[in-house]
Amino acid sequence: MKVEERAASVGQREVFDPILLAVIANRFDAIVREMTNTLFRSGRSAVLNMARDFSCGILTSHDQLLATAEGLQVHLLGTGLQTPYMRGYHPDMAEGDAFLHNDPYLGNTHTADHTVLVPIFIDSDHMFTASAKAHQADCGNSQPTTYMANAVDIYEEGGLNFPCVRVQRGYEDVDDIIRMCRRRIRVPDMWYGDYLAALGAGRIAERRVKELCEKYGRDLIERFIGEWLDYSERRADHAIRQLPSGRLAGASAHDPLPMVPDGIPVKVIVDVHSEEGRIDVDLTQNPDCVPAGVNLSEATARSAAMIGVFNCLDPGVPRNAGSFRRVDVKLRENCVVGIPRFPHSCSTATTNLSERVINATQSAFAQIGDGWGLAEGGGACGVGYSVVSGTDFRRGGAPFVNEIINGNNGGPATPWCDGWITFSMPDGAFVTYIDSIEVTEQKYPIQFRAVRLLSDTGGPGRFRGAPAGEIVYGPKRDPIAVFYFADFAQNAAQGVWGGLPGSLARIVKVERDGSETQRPAIGDTTLTLGEWIKGEEAGGGGYGDPLQREPERVRKDVLENWVSMERARGVYGVILTGSGEGMSVDGSATVALRSQLAGERDRRTDKGRTK
């Protein structure tokens, strides 16, 4: 039977046709992918058209996230908190409208994420909303960076704040808003190009959703929404019921900041109610908001907890409002990982503390037993994720600002495999792309000396955390300012079940004479010609006892330079003989060494317990 015939007959059935359900669900995903391609190919800034630091989605008129395809989860999972303000602030909302929303106190992630919301009307009724959220090269902050970890409050942060303002009416720009942005943003033409790209993605969705509703009929599409979200809820329910019930506790800690010299502890309580198919995540037992830019917005706090949960469930569970019904995230007002109280700054809300909540949540699931949960992933936003600004002598001294995405944090080890190499960081794992060095050097007046992965940086374990990256770059001629915000420089990504932590982030300035000066992991540096900034991101944590790693895996790790000979012997207890392709494992010597290392470790453990 053809799809059209199924659509015609489905109204006569009690159960929605599963094939038709899959067809329409994939059609919505295809629309989101077309939105994504539109924004990716037409965005003007490198952070969009190379790094792909943006996300698209479609929501229902009841603020339910329906379709996301590929996007950063930290951008998408809380989108339904933003859309109510379209109706609340604009009761006269009409077809042809579009809204610009980046207010972290009203459901957005952080000020640097400009979200364009396009209401989609079917038969004169608001039925869907298209969302295109894009990280900006510059958002008008008081300093030329979109991340200000040391900002005491939103006033010191200084970025333009748009609490769901109408930016188009009747398909025409509201010039007042456009002029405001062009005046306050350092790269106005780049901003306007990125705005048009996000708006274009929203309008593409509007057109395609209208076509879809015209093809299948509004009634069928409305029924599909209910069926698809219910199906997604059933998938989540089934996945949760595979877990044993119980309370799990996860903990992590953000590195110290000038305003918070003791750092910021993070505590996550996870209650698994297997028999009910429900999970509760409690973030309320955490400190109050701090006078720094690391406070989470409500959207990022909820998203971070949910990312940690869904990372530990069947990956086939759809991530939409249906499956979200099975996960309850408890937050409190004025909490550093909760609901921020104005004017606390949320400048780095998508990164620093979000990574800590994600890690603490997913590693808590490892307490169920060996074979569950994940280790912690590296989440440093150091030199490889810095915002670089200055003037470009090749373009008549025009100003430039851009966040480069050339870094690499090591992915967490899992119960089944080593950490993912091109992980990026926990909030946007596998989605953001790595910039092309050659294109970056063409677009901006900076030059690269090195980009590489570092051996012995992934946390050892039965399965190994992925390695950290190193990056070195500097100006081509005129000075450049480099802003970075590298947590994980003092508190590494931890392993689980005997797995060891990954490497720490590190930042140094390379002087003209080649000497190196240690720089704070969160701060900024101005470079002149002949000076370089060098950074190492963070390695991922390991899973399981390193002495249980298959010796043959260790041999391959050494051959591929993930692990040194010294670590192979001293941490993994593997004796290797020969070199190159002729390298082999000395089996009997390895067994003896592992027994010796295990005994020494047990004695240290017993001694520590006695103390």
Side-chain angles (χ1 to χ4, degrees):
M1 184 182 293
K2 295 180 179 179
V3 170
E4 290 79 3
E5 294 171 340
R6 289 181 180 274
S9 62
V10 72
Q12 304 171 10
R13 300 182 183 180
E14 186 66 27
V15 179
F16 202 95
D17 187 296
I19 295 178
L20 188 59
L21 185 75
V23 167
I24 298 178
N26 278 280
R27 187 69 191 94
F28 271 105
D29 267 1
I31 294 171
V32 176
R33 293 182 193 280
E34 188 174 358
M35 294 173 69
T36 300
N37 288 336
T38 299
L39 213 167
F40 186 47
R41 295 184 179 279
S42 58
R44 184 167 295 187
S45 65
V47 74
L48 301 188
N49 63 33
M50 281 202 296
R52 201 174 174 275
D53 192 354
F54 66 84
S55 304
C56 298
I58 296 174
L59 299 92
T60 72
S61 59
H62 299 294
D63 313 310
Q64 298 172 304
L65 184 63
L66 184 67
T68 60
E70 290 182 343
L72 280 75
Q73 296 179 82
V74 73
H75 281 173
L76 291 168
L77 301 192
T79 316
L81 297 172
Q82 287 184 268
T83 48
Y85 295 99
M86 292 192 305
R87 300 183 303 276
Y89 288 164
H90 306 279
D92 60 341
M93 181 175 66
E95 189 161 10
D97 284 352
F99 302 92
L100 178 59
H101 187 355
N102 74 329
D103 192 321
Y105 309 102
L106 300 178
N108 190 41
T109 42
H110 67 152
T111 304
D113 285 338
H114 283 197
T115 308
V116 174
L117 300 172
V118 173
I120 301 173
F121 287 78
I122 307 296
D123 299 332
S124 300
D125 292 327
H126 174 216
M127 191 170 172
F128 296 97
T129 299
S131 170
K133 183 182 302 236
H135 184 87
Q136 301 301 298
D138 181 69
C139 62
N141 277 350
S142 60
Q143 295 179 339
T145 175
T146 47
Y147 296 98
M148 295 183 64
N150 292 329
V152 172
D153 54 30
I154 194 172
Y155 302 116
E156 185 171 334
E157 189 181 332
L160 283 164
N161 186 286
F162 299 99
C164 199
V165 301
R166 185 184 273 116
V167 73
Q168 272 206 336
R169 190 163 210 167
Y171 296 100
E172 298 290 336
D173 282 347
V174 177
D175 288 337
D176 288 348
I177 303 300
I178 303 301
R179 287 198 309 275
M180 181 187 301
C181 291
R182 294 184 69 92
R183 178 68 71 186
R184 277 286 310 280
I185 290 174
R186 296 171 179 85
V187 283
D189 291 340
M190 182 176 292
W191 171 82
Y192 189 61
D194 288 346
Y195 157 73
L196 291 177
L199 180 66
R203 294 302 181 198
I204 283 285
E206 180 183 37
R207 188 178 311 140
R208 296 291 182 257
V209 169
K210 284 177 175 288
E211 292 170 356
L212 187 66
C213 290
E214 183 177 354
K215 178 176 182 178
Y216 290 109
R218 172 175 172 170
D219 291 344
L220 179 64
I221 295 299
E222 285 183 333
R223 189 172 169 206
F224 159 79
I225 293 170
E227 293 283 349
W228 177 242
L229 296 182
D230 288 348
Y231 164 79
S232 302
E233 182 180 9
R234 291 194 299 271
R235 288 292 303 272
D237 174 86
H238 176 75
I240 294 169
R241 289 177 187 273
Q242 309 312 302
L243 305 172
S245 293
R247 169 162 287 193
L248 313 170
S252 187
H254 192 287
D255 291 349
L257 293 157
M259 300 75 72
V260 195
D262 295 329
I264 305 170
V266 173
K267 183 176 182 181
V268 178
I269 302 297
V270 180
D271 285 305
V272 179
H273 305 280
S274 177
E275 67 286 351
E276 301 173 24
R278 195 183 79 251
I279 290 176
D280 297 330
V281 183
D282 187 350
L283 299 181
T284 63
Q285 300 177 41
N286 284 291
D288 289 345
C289 287
V290 297
V294 298
N295 301 286
L296 296 192
S297 59
E298 181 179 0
T300 56
R302 291 190 183 280
S303 296
M306 293 175 71
I307 291 169
V309 169
F310 279 89
N311 282 353
C312 299
L313 299 180
D314 178 354
V317 176
R319 303 192 181 190
N320 59 36
S323 57
F324 298 168
R325 297 170 188 163
R326 291 287 160 173
V327 181
D328 181 32
V329 181
K330 299 177 182 178
L331 306 176
R332 69 175 178 86
E333 187 180 350
N334 195 38
C335 178
V336 69
V337 291
I339 303 171
R341 185 178 292 166
F342 184 89
H344 285 292
S345 173
C346 303
S347 184
T348 70
T350 55
T351 53
N352 297 37
L353 275 173
S354 282
E355 322 296 8
R356 297 297 184 176
V357 172
I358 294 168
N359 276 338
T361 305
Q362 69 188 28
S363 63
F365 280 84
Q367 296 170 17
I368 294 173
D370 192 345
W372 300 87
L374 302 171
E376 295 188 359
C381 290
V383 171
Y385 297 90
S386 58
V387 179
V388 182
S389 59
T391 57
D392 192 341
F393 65 93
R394 305 167 305 172
R395 295 175 172 82
F400 75 92
V401 184
N402 187 64
E403 182 182 5
I404 66 169
I405 308 289
N406 286 106
N408 187 77
N409 287 286
T414 81
W416 312 283
C417 64
D418 295 335
W420 191 258
I421 295 174
T422 55
F423 175 67
S424 181
M425 58 188 67
D427 70 90
F430 319 125
V431 178
T432 52
Y433 294 170
I434 296 175
D435 291 346
S436 161
I437 291 175
E438 293 78 11
V439 173
T440 300
E441 289 182 329
Q442 289 176 2
K443 292 173 73 71
Y444 304 104
I446 61 177
Q447 55 187 338
F448 290 82
R449 175 179 279 184
V451 177
R452 58 190 167 212
L453 296 173
L454 300 173
S455 63
D456 287 347
T457 53
R462 184 172 72 248
F463 290 105
R464 171 179 47 75
E470 179 189 74
I471 183 169
V472 185
Y473 59 84
K476 284 185 176 177
R477 195 188 80 174
D478 298 330
I480 60 173
V482 184
F483 293 82
Y484 36 81
F485 45 107
D487 187 21
F488 290 81
Q490 296 185 39
N491 295 308
Q494 297 298 304
V496 296
W497 279 102
L500 301 180
S503 62
L504 293 168
R506 179 172 175 266
I507 297 173
V508 299
K509 179 182 177 184
V510 183
E511 309 292 348
R512 288 188 180 87
D513 62 3
S515 62
E516 296 185 353
T517 304
Q518 188 78 27
R519 299 294 300 164
I522 296 177
D524 62 277
T525 298
T526 297
L527 303 173
T528 58
L529 185 62
E531 298 174 334
W532 306 84
I533 193 79
K534 178 168 75 172
E536 299 175 11
E537 310 301 341
Y543 196 110
D545 185 351
L547 297 179
Q548 296 177 0
R549 185 169 177 81
E550 295 177 10
E552 178 60 20
R553 286 181 177 269
V554 177
R555 185 187 75 87
K556 290 182 179 179
D557 286 343
V558 172
L559 285 174
E560 296 176 358
N561 286 328
W562 303 125
V563 172
S564 66
M565 287 285 285
E566 293 74 20
R567 178 168 282 195
R569 182 186 184 99
V571 178
Y572 288 101
V574 175
I575 302 295
L576 300 170
T577 60
S579 61
E581 291 301 323
M583 182 183 294
S584 62
V585 177
D586 186 328
S588 59
T590 293
V591 171
L593 178 58
R594 285 187 161 184
S595 177
Q596 174 190 334
L597 293 174
E600 292 173 355
R601 182 183 60 196
D602 292 343
R603 285 191 291 274
R604 288 194 302 270
T605 302
D606 290 341
K607 186 177 180 180
R609 287 173 180 165
T610 302
K611 289 183 177 180

